[in-house]
Amino acid sequence: MAAVGSGCSSAAAGPGVVSAGALEPGTMSAAHRRLKYISLAVLVVQNASLILSIRYTRTLPGDRFFATTAVVMAEVLKGLTCLLLLFAQKRGNVKHLLLFLHEAVLVQYVDTFKLAVPSLIYTLQNNLQYVAISNLPAATFQVTYQLKILTTAVFSVLMLNRSLSRLQWVSLLLLFTGVAIVQAQQAGGGGPRPLDQNPGVGLAAVVASCLSSGFAGVYFEKILKGSSGSVWLRNLQLGLFGTLLGLLGLWWAEGAAVAHRGFFFGYTPAVWGVVLNQAFGGLLVAVVVKYADNILKGFATSLSIVLSTVASIRLFGFHVDPLFALGAGLVIGAVYLYSLPRGAAKAIAPAAALASGPCTHQQPPGQPPPPLSAHRGDPSTEPFLPKLLTKVKGS
């Protein structure tokens, strides 16, 4: 839900929070710069660690935990965390919290039920991620999963009538080409693979996950236009539906096995680490992304691909051949180009672009400044990177 909590305006960033793009060039304080670099580190680590930890737990010998139970537990923990944050916002007053939840969830039930659709898709997406990572190397998944940028862009054009710059269209073409090269390398046998892994199933799962991520993120943004609900309230509502739908999916897919072996069968400290990462990682990013401009987010995604690849070599014996290097390089470049503000394509000085951020626009002399509403919904200020509008629902 990054767009809710990380927009260009101070209102979108939350009371008392100034987004990176809200500062005038040259006025960024040293403290704010430190926060930006901390945000970069958090985004990189969260993007890479979730993929690597899931891959690690799904390839360990011995009893394998049920992925559907991990999805449910992540939703439960996320919902409880949001409930505690709302409780803190009400200064620990239980009566005020209950009255607020009654009004926001039950009285305004139409708004609540609107979130059932993205919640269903996010729950499906989280389960598909486990399937994909169980059948693809972590580095290959990380590269291929960047297709979510393409799907989100396409759905934004179709559903929100947004326009993309030529540079963004070129970057999407490079993105698709890079992913295709990586998958060709994978299909051609890029190194030995365990017998219980099926790259075809993994590719189908990651493509379906990207499609669901793109649609759910754009749909979520569309229904939240004009909504006054806080980030934590919306995530609590999503968590309620996510838990119920996750339990339904668990019963349908693995109900008999879970009933026989137990809900927490196969859980180890590493598995709990995955659950906690999935539950709190998105919420953490929702906070730090307020201090990260679009260029920084694109850079973080690129760095996470590099980090996943290096870690995969060390942890899983992943082999990087020229085809993978070429495809991954194209994807990294495409992600970075896509995140650039439109002005950067027309020779805006790099220093000015970095200082002003993607939410600051150069206004030609003699022309009145555009209305504030013109900045909202502009693809240059709201790029389709990573999934935080797209979700706080699991990456």
Side-chain angles (χ1 to χ4, degrees):
M1 215 190 292
V4 180
S6 61
C8 296
S9 68
S10 59
V17 177
V18 180
S19 67
L23 295 176
E24 293 297 327
T27 64
M28 183 179 294
S29 66
H32 195 90
R33 278 195 296 269
R34 283 196 298 272
L35 283 172
K36 286 189 68 174
Y37 291 122
I38 291 172
S39 300
L40 172 64
V42 170
L43 289 169
V44 171
V45 171
Q46 201 277 333
N47 280 343
S49 64
L50 180 61
I51 307 305
L52 292 168
S53 59
I54 292 177
R55 177 68 180 177
Y56 175 75
T57 56
R58 299 300 282 176
T59 55
L60 282 176
D63 295 330
R64 180 179 288 187
F65 69 98
F66 299 110
T68 50
T69 64
V71 171
V72 171
M73 281 306 304
E75 294 301 322
V76 170
L77 291 175
K78 194 180 303 177
L80 289 175
T81 302
C82 293
L83 187 62
L84 288 174
L85 289 168
L86 289 172
F87 181 64
Q89 286 183 351
K90 300 300 177 184
R91 302 182 183 276
N93 190 312
V94 177
K95 181 179 179 181
H96 288 175
L97 176 65
L98 293 177
L99 289 174
F100 170 75
L101 292 177
H102 178 267
E103 173 68 24
V105 178
L106 298 179
V107 176
Q108 300 179 22
Y109 65 91
V110 174
D111 286 342
T112 300
F113 278 105
K114 284 181 181 178
L115 296 174
V117 173
S119 183
L120 170 63
I121 298 174
Y122 288 146
T123 304
L124 172 64
Q125 178 188 348
N126 289 336
N127 282 283
L128 286 172
Q129 282 185 354
Y130 279 98
V131 175
I133 299 172
S134 299
N135 288 279
L136 291 174
T140 302
F141 172 85
Q142 185 77 304
V143 171
T144 308
Y145 193 58
Q146 302 313 311
L147 280 176
K148 68 182 183 287
I149 301 173
L150 172 62
T151 59
T152 307
V154 171
F155 282 119
S156 295
V157 170
L158 296 176
M159 297 172 62
L160 301 178
N161 296 319
R162 285 182 175 162
S163 62
L164 302 180
S165 67
R166 290 181 181 178
L167 180 63
Q168 287 176 317
W169 283 116
V170 170
S171 67
L172 291 177
L173 178 60
L174 289 176
L175 175 69
F176 183 82
T177 303
V179 169
I181 291 174
V182 168
Q183 286 302 319
Q185 176 265 355
Q186 181 71 22
R193 68 173 68 99
L195 295 176
D196 62 343
Q197 294 182 22
N198 187 330
V201 172
L203 175 60
V206 74
V207 169
S209 183
C210 289
L211 287 170
S212 62
S213 173
F215 175 79
V218 174
Y219 177 85
F220 192 28
E221 180 181 359
K222 188 172 183 177
I223 65 175
L224 287 183
K225 291 293 185 183
S227 171
S228 60
S230 70
V231 175
W232 312 126
L233 172 63
R234 295 311 179 197
N235 277 281
L236 174 62
Q237 292 171 315
L238 286 170
L240 291 173
F241 283 114
T243 300
L244 294 174
L245 294 169
L247 287 171
L248 182 62
L250 183 155
W251 171 79
W252 179 76
E254 300 174 318
V258 171
H260 175 67
R261 295 188 171 185
F263 188 91
F264 296 108
F265 174 78
Y267 272 58
T268 64
V271 175
W272 278 111
V274 170
V275 172
L276 293 174
N277 194 337
Q278 204 165 31
F280 302 128
L283 296 177
L284 180 62
V285 173
V287 176
V288 303
V289 81
K290 295 174 184 177
Y291 303 99
D293 58 24
N294 300 329
I295 296 175
L296 201 67
K297 287 186 284 185
F299 190 50
T301 303
S302 300
L303 280 180
S304 68
I305 294 175
V306 176
L307 180 60
S308 295
T309 302
V310 173
S312 294
I313 295 172
R314 300 275 303 178
L315 295 174
F316 311 120
F318 182 72
H319 174 67
V320 177
D321 62 14
L323 265 183
F324 179 88
L326 174 61
L330 286 174
V331 170
I332 290 171
V335 170
Y336 179 75
L337 288 175
Y338 190 85
S339 66
L340 290 176
R342 291 193 179 206
K346 298 182 179 180
I348 290 181
L354 287 172
S356 61
C359 298
T360 301
H361 297 267
Q362 298 288 341
Q363 186 65 24
Q367 292 188 18
L372 288 176
S373 59
H375 294 282
R376 296 173 184 164
D378 188 337
S380 67
T381 63
E382 296 178 18
F384 316 111
L385 289 173
K387 340 172 313 275
L388 247 299
L389 168 110
T390 356
K391 13 183 243 198
V392 171
K393 292 290 291 176
S395 194

